[in-house]
Coordinates of all heavy atoms in Angstrom, one line a residue:
M27 N 121.8 143.8 -83.3 CA 122.0 142.7 -82.4 C 120.8 141.7 -82.6 O 119.7 142.1 -82.7 CB 122.0 143.3 -80.9 CG 122.0 142.2 -79.8 SD 121.8 143.0 -78.2 CE 122.6 141.8 -77.2
R28 N 121.2 140.4 -82.5 CA 120.1 139.4 -82.7 C 120.4 138.4 -81.6 O 121.5 138.0 -81.3 CB 120.3 138.8 -84.0 CG 119.1 137.9 -84.4 CD 119.0 137.8 -85.9 NE 118.1 136.7 -86.2 CZ 118.5 135.5 -86.7 NH1 119.7 135.4 -87.1 NH2 117.7 134.6 -86.8
V29 N 119.3 138.0 -80.9 CA 119.5 137.0 -79.8 C 118.5 135.9 -80.0 O 117.6 135.9 -80.8 CB 119.2 137.7 -78.4 CG1 120.2 138.8 -78.1 CG2 117.8 138.2 -78.3
K30 N 118.9 134.8 -79.3 CA 117.9 133.7 -79.2 C 117.8 133.2 -77.8 O 118.8 133.5 -77.0 CB 118.3 132.5 -80.1 CG 119.4 131.7 -79.7 CD 119.6 130.5 -80.6 CE 120.0 129.3 -79.8 NZ 120.1 128.0 -80.5
L31 N 116.7 132.6 -77.4 CA 116.5 132.1 -76.1 C 116.3 130.6 -76.1 O 115.5 130.1 -76.9 CB 115.3 132.8 -75.5 CG 114.7 132.2 -74.2 CD1 115.7 132.5 -73.0 CD2 113.4 132.8 -73.9
D32 N 117.2 129.9 -75.4 CA 117.0 128.5 -75.3 C 116.1 128.2 -74.1 O 116.6 128.2 -73.0 CB 118.4 127.8 -75.2 CG 118.3 126.3 -75.2 OD1 117.2 125.7 -75.0 OD2 119.4 125.7 -75.5
R33 N 114.9 127.9 -74.4 CA 113.9 127.7 -73.2 C 114.2 126.4 -72.5 O 113.7 126.2 -71.4 CB 112.5 127.7 -73.8 CG 112.1 129.1 -74.1 CD 110.7 129.2 -74.7 NE 109.7 128.3 -74.1 CZ 108.8 128.7 -73.1 NH1 108.9 129.9 -72.6 NH2 107.9 127.9 -72.7
T34 N 115.0 125.5 -73.1 CA 115.3 124.2 -72.4 C 116.3 124.5 -71.3 O 116.5 123.7 -70.3 CB 115.9 123.2 -73.3 OG1 117.2 123.6 -73.8 CG2 115.0 122.8 -74.5
L35 N 117.0 125.6 -71.3 CA 118.0 126.0 -70.3 C 117.4 126.9 -69.2 O 117.8 126.9 -68.1 CB 119.2 126.7 -70.9 CG 120.0 126.0 -71.9 CD1 121.1 126.9 -72.4 CD2 120.7 124.8 -71.2
C36 N 116.3 127.6 -69.6 CA 115.7 128.6 -68.7 C 115.3 127.9 -67.4 O 114.6 126.9 -67.4 CB 114.6 129.3 -69.4 SG 113.7 130.5 -68.3
D37 N 115.7 128.5 -66.3 CA 115.2 128.0 -65.0 C 114.2 129.0 -64.3 O 113.9 128.8 -63.2 CB 116.4 127.9 -64.0 CG 117.0 126.5 -64.1 OD1 116.4 125.6 -64.7 OD2 118.1 126.3 -63.6
G38 N 113.8 130.0 -65.0 CA 112.7 130.8 -64.6 C 113.0 131.8 -63.5 O 112.2 132.1 -62.7
F39 N 114.2 132.3 -63.4 CA 114.6 133.2 -62.4 C 113.9 134.6 -62.6 O 113.8 135.4 -61.7 CB 116.1 133.4 -62.3 CG 116.8 132.2 -61.8 CD1 117.4 131.3 -62.7 CD2 116.9 131.8 -60.5 CE1 118.1 130.2 -62.3 CE2 117.5 130.7 -60.0 CZ 118.1 129.9 -61.0
G40 N 113.7 134.9 -63.9 CA 113.0 136.1 -64.2 C 113.8 137.4 -64.3 O 113.3 138.5 -64.4
I41 N 115.1 137.2 -64.3 CA 116.0 138.3 -64.3 C 115.9 139.0 -65.6 O 115.9 140.3 -65.7 CB 117.5 137.9 -64.0 CG1 117.6 137.3 -62.6 CG2 118.5 139.1 -64.2 CD1 118.8 136.5 -62.3
C42 N 115.8 138.3 -66.7 CA 115.7 138.9 -68.0 C 114.5 139.7 -68.1 O 114.5 140.8 -68.7 CB 115.8 137.8 -69.1 SG 114.5 136.6 -68.9
A43 N 113.4 139.2 -67.6 CA 112.1 140.0 -67.6 C 112.2 141.3 -66.8 O 111.5 142.2 -67.1 CB 111.0 139.1 -67.1
K44 N 113.0 141.3 -65.9 CA 113.2 142.5 -65.1 C 114.0 143.5 -65.9 O 113.6 144.7 -65.9 CB 114.0 142.2 -63.8 CG 114.0 143.3 -62.8 CD 114.7 142.9 -61.5 CE 116.2 143.1 -61.7 NZ 117.0 142.7 -60.6
H45 N 115.0 143.1 -66.7 CA 115.8 144.0 -67.4 C 115.1 144.5 -68.7 O 115.2 145.6 -69.1 CB 117.2 143.4 -67.8 CG 118.1 143.3 -66.6 ND1 118.3 144.3 -65.7 CD2 118.7 142.2 -66.1 CE1 119.2 143.8 -64.8 NE2 119.4 142.6 -65.0
A46 N 114.5 143.5 -69.4 CA 113.9 143.8 -70.7 C 112.6 143.1 -70.9 O 112.5 142.1 -71.6 CB 114.9 143.4 -71.9
P47 N 111.6 143.6 -70.2 CA 110.3 142.9 -70.1 C 109.6 142.8 -71.5 O 108.9 141.9 -71.7 CB 109.5 143.7 -69.1 CG 110.2 145.0 -69.0 CD 111.6 144.8 -69.3
Q48 N 109.9 143.8 -72.3 CA 109.2 143.7 -73.7 C 109.8 142.6 -74.6 O 109.1 142.2 -75.5 CB 109.3 145.1 -74.4 CG 110.7 145.5 -74.8 CD 111.5 146.2 -73.7 OE1 111.5 145.8 -72.5 NE2 112.3 147.2 -74.1
Y49 N 111.0 142.1 -74.2 CA 111.6 141.0 -75.1 C 111.5 139.7 -74.4 O 111.6 138.6 -75.0 CB 113.0 141.4 -75.4 CG 113.1 142.6 -76.3 CD1 113.5 143.8 -75.8 CD2 112.8 142.5 -77.6 CE1 113.5 144.9 -76.6 CE2 112.8 143.6 -78.5 CZ 113.2 144.8 -77.9 OH 113.2 145.9 -78.7
F50 N 111.4 139.7 -73.0 CA 111.4 138.4 -72.3 C 110.3 138.4 -71.3 O 110.5 138.4 -70.1 CB 112.8 138.3 -71.5 CG 114.0 138.3 -72.4 CD1 114.8 139.5 -72.4 CD2 114.3 137.3 -73.3 CE1 115.9 139.5 -73.3 CE2 115.4 137.4 -74.1 CZ 116.2 138.5 -74.1
P51 N 109.0 138.3 -71.8 CA 107.9 138.1 -70.9 C 108.0 136.7 -70.3 O 108.6 135.8 -70.9 CB 106.7 138.3 -71.8 CG 107.2 137.9 -73.2 CD 108.6 138.4 -73.2
L52 N 107.4 136.5 -69.2 CA 107.4 135.2 -68.5 C 106.0 134.5 -68.8 O 105.0 135.2 -68.9 CB 107.6 135.4 -67.0 CG 108.8 136.1 -66.6 CD1 108.9 136.1 -65.1 CD2 110.1 135.4 -67.2
D53 N 106.1 133.2 -69.0 CA 104.9 132.5 -69.3 C 104.2 132.2 -67.9 O 104.6 132.6 -66.9 CB 105.2 131.2 -70.1 CG 106.0 130.2 -69.3 OD1 106.2 130.3 -68.1 OD2 106.5 129.2 -69.9
D54 N 103.1 131.4 -67.9 CA 102.3 131.2 -66.7 C 103.1 130.5 -65.6 O 102.7 130.5 -64.5 CB 101.1 130.3 -67.1 CG 100.1 131.1 -67.9 OD1 100.2 132.3 -68.0 OD2 99.2 130.5 -68.5
W55 N 104.2 129.8 -66.0 CA 105.0 129.0 -65.0 C 106.3 129.8 -64.6 O 107.1 129.3 -63.9 CB 105.4 127.7 -65.6 CG 104.2 126.8 -65.8 CD1 103.6 126.0 -64.9 CD2 103.5 126.7 -67.0 NE1 102.5 125.4 -65.4 CE2 102.4 125.8 -66.7 CE3 103.5 127.2 -68.3 CZ2 101.5 125.4 -67.7 CZ3 102.6 126.9 -69.2 CH2 101.6 126.0 -68.9
G56 N 106.4 131.0 -65.2 CA 107.5 131.9 -64.8 C 108.8 131.7 -65.6 O 109.8 132.2 -65.3
Y57 N 108.6 131.0 -66.8 CA 109.8 130.8 -67.7 C 109.7 131.9 -68.8 O 108.6 132.3 -69.2 CB 109.8 129.4 -68.3 CG 110.0 128.3 -67.3 CD1 109.0 127.7 -66.7 CD2 111.3 128.0 -66.9 CE1 109.2 126.7 -65.7 CE2 111.5 127.0 -65.9 CZ 110.5 126.4 -65.3 OH 110.7 125.4 -64.4
A58 N 110.9 132.3 -69.2 CA 111.0 133.4 -70.2 C 110.6 132.9 -71.6 O 110.8 131.7 -71.9 CB 112.4 133.9 -70.2
V59 N 110.0 133.8 -72.3 CA 109.6 133.6 -73.7 C 110.3 134.7 -74.5 O 110.3 135.9 -74.0 CB 108.1 133.6 -73.9 CG1 107.7 133.5 -75.4 CG2 107.4 132.6 -73.0
L60 N 110.8 134.4 -75.6 CA 111.4 135.5 -76.5 C 110.3 136.1 -77.3 O 109.7 135.4 -78.1 CB 112.5 135.0 -77.4 CG 113.2 136.0 -78.3 CD1 113.8 137.1 -77.5 CD2 114.2 135.3 -79.2
A61 N 110.0 137.4 -77.1 CA 109.0 138.1 -77.9 C 109.6 138.6 -79.1 O 110.7 139.2 -79.1 CB 108.4 139.2 -77.0
G62 N 109.0 138.4 -80.2 CA 109.5 138.9 -81.5 C 110.5 137.9 -82.2 O 110.5 136.7 -81.8
D63 N 111.2 138.4 -83.1 CA 112.1 137.5 -83.9 C 113.5 137.5 -83.5 O 114.4 136.9 -84.1 CB 112.0 137.9 -85.4 CG 112.5 139.3 -85.6 OD1 112.9 140.0 -84.7 OD2 112.4 139.8 -86.8
G64 N 113.8 138.2 -82.4 CA 115.1 138.2 -81.8 C 116.0 139.3 -82.3 O 117.1 139.5 -81.7
N65 N 115.5 140.1 -83.2 CA 116.2 141.3 -83.6 C 116.0 142.4 -82.7 O 114.8 142.7 -82.4 CB 115.8 141.7 -85.1 CG 116.3 140.7 -86.1 OD1 117.5 140.5 -86.1 ND2 115.4 140.2 -86.9
I66 N 117.0 143.0 -82.1 CA 116.9 144.0 -81.1 C 117.3 145.3 -81.6 O 118.5 145.5 -82.1 CB 117.8 143.6 -79.8 CG1 117.5 142.2 -79.4 CG2 117.5 144.6 -78.7 CD1 116.1 141.9 -79.0
P67 N 116.4 146.3 -81.6 CA 116.8 147.7 -82.1 C 117.9 148.3 -81.2 O 118.0 147.9 -80.0 CB 115.5 148.5 -82.0 CG 114.4 147.5 -81.8 CD 115.0 146.3 -81.2
I68 N 118.7 149.2 -81.8 CA 119.8 149.8 -81.1 C 119.4 150.4 -79.7 O 120.2 150.3 -78.8 CB 120.5 150.8 -82.0 CG1 121.9 151.2 -81.4 CG2 119.7 152.0 -82.2 CD1 123.0 150.3 -81.8
D69 N 118.2 151.0 -79.6 CA 117.8 151.6 -78.4 C 117.6 150.7 -77.3 O 117.7 151.0 -76.1 CB 116.6 152.5 -78.6 CG 116.8 153.7 -79.5 OD1 118.0 154.0 -79.7 OD2 115.8 154.3 -80.0
D70 N 117.3 149.4 -77.6 CA 117.0 148.4 -76.5 C 118.2 147.5 -76.3 O 118.0 146.6 -75.4 CB 115.8 147.6 -76.9 CG 114.5 148.5 -77.1 OD1 114.5 149.5 -76.4 OD2 113.6 148.1 -77.9
Q71 N 119.3 147.6 -77.0 CA 120.3 146.7 -76.9 C 121.0 146.6 -75.5 O 121.4 145.6 -75.1 CB 121.4 146.9 -78.0 CG 120.8 146.5 -79.3 CD 121.8 146.6 -80.5 OE1 123.0 146.9 -80.2 NE2 121.4 146.4 -81.7
D72 N 121.1 147.8 -74.8 CA 121.7 147.8 -73.5 C 120.9 146.9 -72.5 O 121.5 146.1 -71.8 CB 121.8 149.2 -73.0 CG 123.0 150.0 -73.7 OD1 123.8 149.3 -74.4 OD2 123.0 151.2 -73.5
A73 N 119.6 147.1 -72.5 CA 118.8 146.3 -71.6 C 118.8 144.8 -71.9 O 118.9 144.0 -71.0 CB 117.3 146.8 -71.7
V74 N 118.8 144.5 -73.2 CA 118.9 143.1 -73.6 C 120.2 142.5 -73.3 O 120.4 141.3 -72.9 CB 118.5 142.9 -75.1 CG1 118.7 141.5 -75.6 CG2 117.0 143.3 -75.3
Q75 N 121.3 143.3 -73.5 CA 122.6 142.8 -73.2 C 122.8 142.6 -71.7 O 123.4 141.6 -71.3 CB 123.7 143.9 -73.7 CG 125.1 143.4 -73.5 CD 125.5 142.4 -74.6 OE1 125.0 142.5 -75.7 NE2 126.3 141.5 -74.3
R76 N 122.1 143.4 -70.9 CA 122.2 143.2 -69.5 C 121.4 141.9 -69.1 O 121.9 141.2 -68.2 CB 121.5 144.4 -68.8 CG 121.5 144.4 -67.3 CD 122.9 144.7 -66.8 NE 123.1 144.5 -65.4 CZ 123.0 145.4 -64.5 NH1 122.8 146.6 -64.8 NH2 123.1 145.1 -63.2
A77 N 120.3 141.7 -69.7 CA 119.5 140.5 -69.5 C 120.4 139.2 -69.9 O 120.4 138.3 -69.1 CB 118.2 140.5 -70.3
L78 N 121.1 139.3 -71.0 CA 121.9 138.3 -71.5 C 123.0 138.0 -70.5 O 123.3 136.8 -70.1 CB 122.5 138.6 -72.8 CG 123.3 137.7 -73.6 CD1 123.2 137.9 -75.1 CD2 124.8 137.7 -73.2
M79 N 123.7 139.0 -70.0 CA 124.8 138.9 -69.1 C 124.4 138.4 -67.7 O 125.1 137.7 -67.0 CB 125.6 140.2 -68.9 CG 126.0 140.7 -70.3 SD 127.6 140.8 -70.7 CE 128.5 141.4 -69.4
D80 N 123.2 138.7 -67.3 CA 122.7 138.4 -65.9 C 122.0 137.0 -65.9 O 121.7 136.6 -64.8 CB 121.8 139.5 -65.4 CG 122.6 140.7 -64.9 OD1 123.9 140.6 -65.0 OD2 122.0 141.7 -64.5
C81 N 121.6 136.5 -67.0 CA 120.9 135.2 -66.9 C 121.9 134.1 -66.3 O 122.9 133.9 -66.8 CB 120.5 134.7 -68.4 SG 119.8 133.1 -68.4
P82 N 121.5 133.6 -65.2 CA 122.4 132.7 -64.5 C 122.6 131.3 -65.2 O 123.6 130.7 -64.9 CB 121.7 132.4 -63.2 CG 120.2 132.8 -63.4 CD 120.2 133.8 -64.5
V83 N 121.8 131.0 -66.2 CA 122.0 129.7 -66.9 C 122.4 129.9 -68.3 O 122.5 129.0 -69.1 CB 120.8 128.8 -66.8 CG1 120.5 128.4 -65.3 CG2 119.6 129.5 -67.3
H84 N 122.7 131.1 -68.7 CA 123.1 131.5 -70.1 C 122.2 131.0 -71.1 O 122.6 130.4 -72.2 CB 124.5 130.9 -70.4 CG 125.5 131.3 -69.3 ND1 126.0 132.6 -69.2 CD2 126.1 130.6 -68.3 CE1 126.9 132.7 -68.2 NE2 126.9 131.5 -67.6
A85 N 120.9 131.2 -70.8 CA 119.9 130.7 -71.8 C 119.7 131.7 -72.9 O 119.1 131.4 -74.0 CB 118.5 130.5 -71.1
I86 N 120.2 132.9 -72.8 CA 120.0 133.9 -73.8 C 121.4 134.1 -74.5 O 122.4 134.2 -73.9 CB 119.6 135.3 -73.2 CG1 118.4 135.2 -72.4 CG2 119.5 136.3 -74.3 CD1 118.1 136.3 -71.5
M87 N 121.4 133.9 -75.8 CA 122.6 134.0 -76.6 C 122.5 135.0 -77.7 O 121.5 135.2 -78.3 CB 122.9 132.6 -77.2 CG 123.3 131.6 -76.2 SD 122.9 129.9 -76.8 CE 121.4 129.7 -75.9
E88 N 123.6 135.7 -77.9 CA 123.7 136.6 -79.0 C 124.1 135.9 -80.3 O 125.1 135.1 -80.2 CB 124.6 137.8 -78.7 CG 124.7 138.8 -79.8 CD 125.5 140.0 -79.5 OE1 126.0 140.1 -78.4 OE2 125.5 140.9 -80.3
L89 N 123.4 136.1 -81.4 CA 123.8 135.4 -82.6 C 124.7 136.4 -83.4 O 124.4 137.5 -83.5 CB 122.5 135.1 -83.4 CG 121.5 134.2 -82.7 CD1 120.3 134.0 -83.5 CD2 122.1 132.8 -82.5
S90 N 125.7 135.8 -83.9 CA 126.6 136.7 -84.7 C 126.1 136.7 -86.1 O 125.4 135.8 -86.6 CB 128.0 136.2 -84.7 OG 128.1 134.9 -85.3
E91 N 126.4 137.8 -86.8 CA 125.9 138.0 -88.1 C 127.1 137.9 -89.1 O 128.1 138.5 -88.8 CB 125.2 139.3 -88.3 CG 123.9 139.4 -87.6 CD 123.3 140.8 -87.8 OE1 123.5 141.4 -88.9 OE2 122.5 141.2 -86.9
R92 N 126.9 137.2 -90.2 CA 127.9 137.3 -91.2 C 127.5 138.3 -92.3 O 126.4 138.3 -92.7 CB 128.1 135.9 -91.9 CG 128.8 134.9 -91.0 CD 129.2 133.7 -91.8 NE 129.8 134.0 -93.0 CZ 131.1 134.4 -93.2 NH1 131.8 134.6 -92.1 NH2 131.6 134.6 -94.4
R93 N 128.4 139.1 -92.6 CA 128.1 140.1 -93.6 C 128.8 139.7 -94.9 O 129.7 139.0 -95.0 CB 128.7 141.5 -93.1 CG 128.0 141.9 -91.8 CD 128.3 143.3 -91.5 NE 127.8 143.7 -90.2 CZ 126.5 144.0 -90.0 NH1 125.7 144.0 -91.0 NH2 126.1 144.3 -88.8
P94 N 128.2 140.2 -96.0 CA 128.7 139.8 -97.4 C 130.2 140.1 -97.6 O 130.9 139.4 -98.3 CB 127.8 140.6 -98.3 CG 126.6 141.0 -97.6 CD 127.0 141.1 -96.1
D95 N 130.7 141.2 -96.9 CA 132.1 141.5 -97.1 C 133.0 140.9 -96.1 O 134.2 141.1 -96.1 CB 132.3 143.0 -97.1 CG 131.7 143.7 -95.8 OD1 131.0 143.0 -95.1 OD2 132.1 144.9 -95.6
D96 N 132.5 140.0 -95.2 CA 133.3 139.3 -94.3 C 134.1 138.2 -95.0 O 133.7 137.7 -96.1 CB 132.5 138.5 -93.2 CG 131.9 139.5 -92.2 OD1 132.3 140.6 -92.1 OD2 131.0 139.0 -91.4
A97 N 135.3 137.9 -94.5 CA 136.1 136.9 -95.1 C 135.4 135.5 -94.9 O 134.7 135.3 -93.9 CB 137.5 136.8 -94.4
P98 N 135.5 134.7 -95.9 CA 134.8 133.4 -95.8 C 135.5 132.6 -94.6 O 136.6 132.7 -94.3 CB 135.1 132.7 -97.1 CG 136.2 133.4 -97.7 CD 136.3 134.8 -97.1
P99 N 134.7 131.7 -94.0 CA 135.3 130.9 -93.0 C 136.3 129.9 -93.5 O 136.3 129.6 -94.7 CB 134.1 130.1 -92.4 CG 133.1 130.1 -93.5 CD 133.3 131.4 -94.3
P100 N 137.3 129.5 -92.7 CA 138.3 128.6 -93.2 C 137.7 127.3 -93.7 O 136.8 126.8 -93.0 CB 139.3 128.4 -92.0 CG 138.5 128.9 -90.8 CD 137.5 129.8 -91.3
S101 N 138.2 126.8 -94.8 CA 137.6 125.6 -95.3 C 138.2 124.4 -94.6 O 139.3 124.4 -94.0 CB 137.9 125.5 -96.8 OG 139.3 125.4 -97.0
M102 N 137.4 123.3 -94.5 CA 137.9 122.1 -93.9 C 138.8 121.4 -94.8 O 138.7 121.4 -96.1 CB 136.7 121.2 -93.7 CG 135.6 121.8 -92.8 SD 136.1 121.8 -91.0 CE 135.9 120.1 -90.6
T103 N 139.9 120.9 -94.3 CA 140.8 120.1 -95.1 C 140.9 118.7 -94.6 O 140.6 118.4 -93.5 CB 142.2 120.8 -95.0 OG1 142.6 120.8 -93.6 CG2 142.3 122.2 -95.5
E104 N 141.2 117.9 -95.6 CA 141.4 116.4 -95.2 C 142.6 116.2 -94.3 O 143.6 116.9 -94.5 CB 141.6 115.6 -96.5 CG 140.3 115.5 -97.4 CD 139.2 114.7 -96.7 OE1 139.5 113.7 -96.1 OE2 138.1 115.1 -96.9
P105 N 142.5 115.3 -93.4 CA 143.7 115.1 -92.5 C 144.8 114.4 -93.3 O 144.5 113.7 -94.3 CB 143.2 114.2 -91.4 CG 142.0 113.5 -92.0 CD 141.4 114.5 -93.0
D106 N 146.0 114.7 -92.9 CA 147.2 114.0 -93.5 C 147.3 112.6 -93.0 O 147.7 112.3 -91.9 CB 148.4 114.8 -93.2 CG 149.7 114.2 -93.9 OD1 149.5 113.3 -94.7 OD2 150.8 114.8 -93.6
L107 N 146.9 111.7 -93.9 CA 146.8 110.3 -93.5 C 148.2 109.7 -93.2 O 148.3 108.7 -92.5 CB 146.0 109.4 -94.5 CG 144.6 109.8 -94.7 CD1 143.9 109.0 -95.8 CD2 143.8 109.7 -93.4
D108 N 149.2 110.2 -93.8 CA 150.6 109.7 -93.6 C 151.0 110.0 -92.1 O 151.9 109.4 -91.6 CB 151.6 110.3 -94.6 CG 151.3 109.8 -96.0 OD1 150.7 108.7 -96.1 OD2 151.6 110.6 -96.9
D109 N 150.4 111.0 -91.5 CA 150.8 111.5 -90.2 C 149.8 111.0 -89.1 O 149.8 111.5 -88.0 CB 150.9 113.0 -90.2 CG 151.7 113.5 -89.0 OD1 152.6 112.7 -88.6 OD2 151.5 114.6 -88.5
L110 N 148.9 110.1 -89.5 CA 147.8 109.7 -88.6 C 148.4 108.8 -87.5 O 149.2 107.9 -87.8 CB 146.8 108.9 -89.4 CG 145.4 108.7 -88.8 CD1 144.8 110.0 -88.4 CD2 144.5 107.8 -89.6
K111 N 148.0 109.0 -86.3 CA 148.5 108.2 -85.2 C 147.6 107.0 -85.0 O 146.4 107.1 -84.8 CB 148.5 109.0 -83.9 CG 149.4 110.2 -84.0 CD 149.4 111.1 -82.8 CE 150.3 112.2 -82.9 NZ 150.2 113.2 -81.9
T112 N 148.2 105.8 -85.1 CA 147.4 104.5 -85.0 C 148.2 103.6 -84.0 O 149.3 103.9 -83.6 CB 147.2 103.8 -86.3 OG1 148.5 103.5 -86.8 CG2 146.5 104.7 -87.4
E113 N 147.5 102.5 -83.7 CA 148.2 101.5 -82.8 C 149.5 101.0 -83.5 O 150.5 100.7 -82.8 CB 147.3 100.4 -82.5 CG 146.3 100.8 -81.5 CD 145.5 99.6 -80.9 OE1 146.0 98.4 -81.1 OE2 144.4 99.8 -80.4
S114 N 149.5 100.9 -84.8 CA 150.6 100.3 -85.5 C 151.8 101.2 -85.4 O 153.0 100.8 -85.6 CB 150.3 99.9 -86.9 OG 150.0 101.1 -87.6
N115 N 151.7 102.5 -85.2 CA 152.8 103.4 -85.2 C 152.9 104.2 -83.9 O 153.5 105.2 -83.8 CB 152.8 104.4 -86.4 CG 151.6 105.4 -86.3 OD1 150.9 105.4 -85.3 ND2 151.5 106.2 -87.3
E116 N 152.3 103.6 -82.8 CA 152.3 104.3 -81.6 C 153.6 104.5 -81.0 O 153.9 105.5 -80.2 CB 151.3 103.6 -80.5 CG 151.8 102.3 -80.0 CD 150.8 101.7 -79.0 OE1 149.7 101.3 -79.5 OE2 151.2 101.6 -77.9
A117 N 154.6 103.6 -81.3 CA 155.9 103.8 -80.8 C 156.6 105.0 -81.3 O 157.4 105.7 -80.7 CB 156.8 102.6 -81.1
E118 N 156.1 105.4 -82.5 CA 156.7 106.6 -83.2 C 156.2 107.9 -82.5 O 156.9 108.9 -82.5 CB 156.3 106.6 -84.6 CG 156.9 105.5 -85.4 CD 156.4 105.5 -86.9 OE1 156.0 106.5 -87.4 OE2 156.4 104.4 -87.4
W119 N 155.0 107.9 -82.0 CA 154.5 109.1 -81.5 C 154.4 109.1 -80.0 O 153.9 110.1 -79.4 CB 153.1 109.5 -82.1 CG 152.0 108.5 -82.2 CD1 151.8 107.6 -83.2 CD2 151.0 108.3 -81.3 NE1 150.8 106.8 -82.9 CE2 150.2 107.3 -81.8 CE3 150.6 108.9 -80.1 CZ2 149.1 106.8 -81.1 CZ3 149.5 108.5 -79.4 CH2 148.7 107.4 -79.9
G120 N 154.9 108.1 -79.3 CA 155.1 108.1 -77.9 C 153.9 107.8 -77.0 O 153.9 108.1 -75.8
F121 N 152.9 107.2 -77.6 CA 151.8 106.9 -76.8 C 152.1 105.7 -75.8 O 152.6 104.7 -76.2 CB 150.6 106.5 -77.7 CG 149.3 106.2 -76.9 CD1 148.5 107.2 -76.4 CD2 149.0 104.9 -76.7 CE1 147.4 106.9 -75.7 CE2 147.8 104.6 -76.0 CZ 147.0 105.6 -75.5
T122 N 151.8 105.8 -74.6 CA 151.9 104.7 -73.6 C 150.6 104.5 -72.9 O 149.9 105.3 -72.7 CB 153.0 105.1 -72.6 OG1 152.7 106.3 -71.9 CG2 154.4 105.2 -73.2
R123 N 150.4 103.2 -72.6 CA 149.1 102.8 -71.9 C 149.4 102.7 -70.5 O 150.4 102.3 -70.0 CB 148.6 101.5 -72.5 CG 148.2 101.7 -73.9 CD 147.7 100.4 -74.5 NE 147.8 100.5 -76.0 CZ 146.7 100.4 -76.7 NH1 145.6 100.1 -76.2 NH2 146.8 100.5 -78.0
Ligands
SF4_1129 S1 117.2 135.2 -66.7 FE1 117.6 133.3 -67.8 S2 116.9 131.7 -66.5 FE2 115.9 133.6 -65.8 S3 114.0 133.7 -66.8 FE3 115.4 134.8 -68.1 S4 116.2 133.2 -69.5 FE4 115.2 132.1 -67.9

């Protein structure tokens, strides 16, 4: 499990520090700081998951990991310009103002 903390969202309620104080110590103003690199060992994942779920402003996020054997993400494709909706063909696609 890997997490990140968005300190711009943190409102300093301190709930994360209560659940996982070793990962979310509070600074002098009561805002959480992520201790370490965000990698959470398996033994501590329950406490960190609880902190993540209880954070009222969702400042703690779990980062997903891509593994080498995962399927590649779908590639972006160019839009079909013949089917593009514009003002000149709005009568065809039913747009009304
Ligand atoms: S629970 Fe959320 S809002 Fe509260 S201190 Fe932790 S990160 Fe900040």
Side-chain angles (χ1 to χ4, degrees):
M27 173 186 207
R28 193 157 163 249
V29 297
K30 77 173 216 176
L31 169 68
D32 186 342
R33 285 178 41 94
T34 64
L35 296 176
C36 177
D37 268 347
F39 295 99
I41 297 166
C42 56
K44 191 176 84 182
H45 291 308
Q48 68 274 40
Y49 295 102
F50 303 106
L52 302 180
D53 65 13
D54 292 345
W55 295 273
Y57 293 95
V59 178
L60 179 62
D63 61 2
N65 289 306
I66 311 299
I68 191 90
D69 290 346
D70 298 334
Q71 289 186 4
D72 285 348
V74 170
Q75 188 73 35
R76 184 72 192 261
L78 184 152
M79 306 249 315
D80 284 358
C81 175
V83 294
H84 308 289
I86 305 165
M87 287 153 266
E88 183 173 1
L89 302 174
S90 62
E91 289 181 30
R92 286 193 47 76
R93 301 191 182 281
D95 54 344
D96 284 349
S101 62
M102 300 285 287
T103 57
E104 290 292 323
D106 183 3
L107 296 179
D108 293 335
D109 200 26
L110 195 63
K111 296 175 180 175
T112 64
E113 282 190 21
S114 65
N115 67 1
E116 69 181 68
E118 295 173 24
W119 51 273
F121 180 78
T122 55
R123 295 176 199 240

